[in-house]
Amino acid sequence: IALCDGDGSWNNINYLDKGWFTFDNPVKDENGNLIEDSVTDLCFVASATLPPIENTSNDANPDRENEGRKISIVLARPKSGRWHQIRQHLSSGTVGHSILGDSSHGRSRTNRIWKKKRHLMKERVCLHLARLQIPSTGYSDVIDVTCPLAPDLAKMLKAMPKSFLDDAKVILKKEGINII
């Protein structure tokens, strides 16, 4: 589960209406080499535009008034395990929803706003392994493990609008994930 910067749409595509979809796009490994086999299933669960926060800087740029106000909850199921795969796929020019707090693939200014005004902890990437499912093999039964959200992520979500959380809870419950 990822908390992302964006409203669920990008380049005239409304990802909230797509349900689960497969994103197959090369990613770069830790040495900058392209890895072709990189597949992630994504589902945009909910999005919201948050109320503006007080501008305490001398920056009167109207384009920046909306920065850091859009948030989406996205589920990701990586089908291959590549370096920063989910982070690279979500921040790609195709999907355009970088994970909040991601200093490598995210937006620095947006991350600073979230850290100062919206309870994002320093050094936190808002990506959480909420559920792991491993199919049965000849040696084991199905393994299905869930992990509750860390307290800092739960605090961030509790500060979100009720309608946003209500929308998210319906879909997440179907996926076996409880956010708060």
Side-chain angles (χ1 to χ4, degrees), residues 138-156:
Y139 302 101
S140 69
D141 293 332
V142 172
I143 297 172
D144 190 352
V145 180
T146 59
C147 181
L149 283 180
D152 64 304
L153 286 178
K155 179 180 179 179
M156 286 175 64

Side-chain angles (χ1 to χ4, degrees), residues 6 8 29 35 37 49 53-54 66-68 77 88 97 110 121 126 165:
D29 68 13
I35 305 294
D37 179 27
T49 300
I53 51 178
E54 181 182 327
N66 289 323
E67 192 160 3
R77 291 181 181 148
Q88 289 185 61
H97 283 70
T110 299
M121 288 180 59
C126 294
L165 292 177

Side-chain angles (χ1 to χ4, degrees), residues 57-156:
S57 71
N58 293 329
D59 185 2
N61 185 339
D63 293 335
R64 293 191 178 154
E65 285 182 21
N66 289 323
E67 192 160 3
R69 290 185 56 202
K70 297 177 180 180
I71 184 172
S72 291
I73 295 177
V74 181
L75 293 178
R77 291 181 181 148
K79 299 297 181 185
S80 48
R82 306 296 178 217
W83 189 75
H84 290 197
Q85 177 177 321
I86 296 170
R87 294 164 66 178
Q88 289 185 61
H89 279 173
L90 285 170
S91 67
S92 71
T94 304
V95 179
H97 283 70
S98 59
I99 299 173
L100 293 171
D102 188 343
S103 61
S104 300
H105 309 287
R107 297 176 186 99
S108 297
R109 183 173 174 79
T110 299
N111 289 337
R112 281 192 304 272
I113 291 168
W114 275 84
K115 286 174 185 173
K116 281 179 125 176
K117 305 288 184 174
R118 300 204 189 270
H119 310 292
L120 177 62
M121 288 180 59
K122 185 178 179 184
E123 307 300 325
R124 161 56 101 172
V125 176
C126 294
L127 179 63
H128 174 75
L129 177 60
R131 187 173 188 191
L132 176 67
Q133 294 175 296
I134 301 173
S136 65
T137 66
Y139 302 101
S140 69
D141 293 332
V142 172
I143 297 172
D144 190 352
V145 180
T146 59
C147 181
L149 283 180
D152 64 304
L153 286 178
K155 179 180 179 179
M156 286 175 64

